[in-house]
Amino acid sequence: MAKILVTGGAGYIGSHTVVELQAVGHDVVIVDNLVNSNPVVLKRIANITGVEPAFIEADVRDADALAGVFSSHKIDAVIHFAGLKAVGESVEQPLRYYENNVNGTMVLCQAMANAGVFKLVFSSSATVYGPDAPVPYEESMPLGQPSSPYGASKAMTERMLADLCASDARWAVAALRYFNPIGAHESGLIGEDPQGIPNNLMPFISRVAVGKLEELSVFGGDYDTPDGTCIRDYLHVVDLAAGHSRSLMALDNPGLHAFNLGAGKGVSVLEMVKAFEAVTGKPVPYKIAPRRQGDLPAFWANAEKAKRELAWEAGSSLEKMMADTWRWQSTNPNGYE
Ligand code: NAD
Ligand code: WQD
């Protein structure tokens, strides 16, 4: 079994992936600067798996700190989640996003090369396909022109990693393009804990249901979709976590390997609201509000490549995603606070 460095491992997807990695027998070291996470998550992980992962509070842009991590741990591969992810904030603070996401990955790759570690799994996003790609998205499509600095930072990083792989055959990189991860570990001990008012649909719905927010604004009811609301490809975060441990298999071959990690089917905003209400019995009052700038009407994954090459599928039902979201939200109404 391998020793895996997980950057951003205290965050939403990172923490679920740490649980999965430990469950399949890997040894985990987390590096996180806690800019968007709470160290309590480390104890929660230990409650689930029986093992508290090694944790170093550090920034991935800190080359000296990374050199220290690589010299004190014999790392086999890195899974790189650390990054900023709020699309709207990236429009207001583009330099902060490029600095953190692109430069952070650059500093990390330099530290890896110095330490002789050439296996990397990178958190990419469906947003790299850009607004003009036809649906469903396939990995063979070229990178597009994402409309936000956040999305551009992911496309730029993928380009940088492809150039790196082309320059040196020791590198093996998996670029995992996530669609819309939701849900929580079924223990209810770890989950998504956004600060302030959530930007994303699922945490907004669950906070309305728990009484912390009054009503959901459905951004746009006049899209060219069956019910007029936007369609996305939602997948369970625990399935997504398993996709990371599977993707380590792809790192036996050098080069950049892109994989869509999605369920491969689309669900509308109103279908999400109805599914949540049906599973939890909690009403979610909503109103149709104006469209949100930058939203695409509909996209979902062609997820065949991950099925074929990684033997991975996002198998959880929408009902399970809703039930697990609600268990986390209702038993932790204030998140990790
Ligand atoms: P998150 O904010 O919960 O986790 C990111 C973690 O990285 C946090 O714990 C944060 O403290 C840490 N971090 C940020 N910048 C850092 C830095 N410079 N040094 C060290 N640690 C740093 O986000 P998440 O939802 O778990 O997303 C993880 C990754 O997946 C991100 O790169 C994100 O862009 C990407 N992604 C997320 C989604 C999604 O919908 N959640 C979709 C596609 C891609
Ligand atoms: C889903 C749908 C909204 C909130 C974003 C990033 C993407 C990736 C995942 C990180 C949309 C609608 C939402 C609300 C609503 N992130 N909605 N009311 O926009 O598909 O993707 O998160 O990599 O890069 O762009 O996800 O959850 O914000 O929205 O009606 O209060 O829900 O319009 O149709 P999105 P989301």
Side-chain angles (χ1 to χ4, degrees):
M1 284 294 130
K3 190 160 193 172
I4 314 290
L5 172 62
V6 181
T7 77
Y12 172 47
I13 306 170
S15 56
H16 289 81
T17 301
V18 169
V19 167
E20 169 69 18
L21 292 170
Q22 290 183 331
V24 300
H26 295 305
D27 202 1
V28 175
V29 178
I30 297 175
V31 165
D32 199 302
N33 67 0
L34 303 178
V35 67
N36 195 37
S37 47
N38 188 314
V40 169
V41 75
L42 302 166
K43 302 273 181 241
R44 300 288 185 92
I45 291 171
N47 286 346
I48 296 170
T49 66
V51 180
E52 189 166 328
F55 172 68
I56 297 117
E57 184 175 344
D59 195 297
V60 291
R61 292 163 298 175
D62 182 342
D64 292 340
L66 291 183
V69 173
F70 284 107
S71 68
S72 43
H73 297 275
K74 170 120 195 39
I75 301 294
D76 296 297
V78 178
I79 303 184
H80 178 40
F81 294 102
L84 301 174
K85 63 164 181 177
V87 174
E89 187 181 68
S90 80
V91 175
E92 283 148 28
Q93 304 174 26
L95 296 182
R96 184 167 166 241
Y97 271 69
Y98 291 120
E99 221 278 308
N100 200 86
N101 294 0
V102 184
N103 186 43
T105 307
M106 201 167 80
V107 174
L108 173 67
C109 289
Q110 283 162 342
M112 289 174 65
N114 290 340
V117 179
F118 295 98
K119 292 180 181 212
L120 176 68
V121 177
F122 171 62
S123 295
S124 189
S125 167
T127 187
V128 299
Y129 290 103
D132 302 320
V135 291
Y137 295 163
E138 291 180 14
E139 293 89 343
S140 56
M141 292 172 179
L143 293 175
Q145 301 286 332
S147 44
S148 74
Y150 166 75
S153 78
K154 292 290 178 189
M156 276 182 198
T157 304
E158 276 208 31
R159 170 66 201 268
M160 180 174 78
L161 295 171
D163 290 343
L164 185 59
C165 291
S167 75
D168 183 337
R170 287 176 297 177
W171 280 96
V173 178
L176 305 184
R177 297 172 179 166
Y178 313 154
F179 283 69
N180 289 58
I182 61 170
H185 192 266
E186 67 178 1
S187 63
L189 288 169
I190 58 172
E192 187 171 16
D193 182 22
Q195 304 307 303
I197 296 174
N199 299 309
N200 298 113
L201 179 63
M202 192 72 250
F204 204 108
I205 288 177
S206 62
R207 287 204 186 171
V208 170
V210 85
K212 297 226 162 237
L213 294 167
E214 213 164 292
E215 66 175 355
L216 171 72
S217 292
V218 174
F219 297 142
D222 58 354
Y223 283 99
D224 185 15
T225 59
D227 66 17
T229 66
C230 290
I231 291 175
R232 294 290 181 271
D233 181 336
Y234 298 92
L235 76 160
H236 199 300
V237 67
V238 172
D239 291 336
L240 179 59
H244 288 76
S245 66
R246 293 296 174 88
S247 76
L248 293 170
M249 286 177 2
L251 303 184
D252 289 336
N253 295 318
L256 182 91
H257 311 282
F259 291 101
N260 286 343
L261 297 187
K265 61 172 193 281
V267 178
S268 78
V269 176
L270 288 182
E271 287 170 336
M272 290 289 284
V273 172
K274 286 181 194 129
F276 183 90
E277 290 180 332
V279 168
T280 65
K282 293 277 163 191
V284 179
Y286 68 85
K287 63 163 189 268
I288 302 293
R291 293 179 176 196
R292 182 172 70 177
Q293 206 195 340
D295 272 343
L296 297 176
F299 63 83
W300 60 93
N302 176 329
E304 291 302 316
K305 186 180 175 197
K307 189 173 176 184
R308 206 170 51 240
E309 295 186 16
L310 305 177
W312 175 86
E313 253 180 304
S316 301
S317 65
L318 196 55
E319 288 68 32
K320 176 158 176 57
M321 298 188 230
M322 298 301 172
D324 288 344
T325 298
W326 182 237
R327 190 176 305 105
W328 156 253
Q329 179 69 68
S330 56
T331 55
N332 302 268
N334 300 315
Y336 290 113
E337 287 305 321

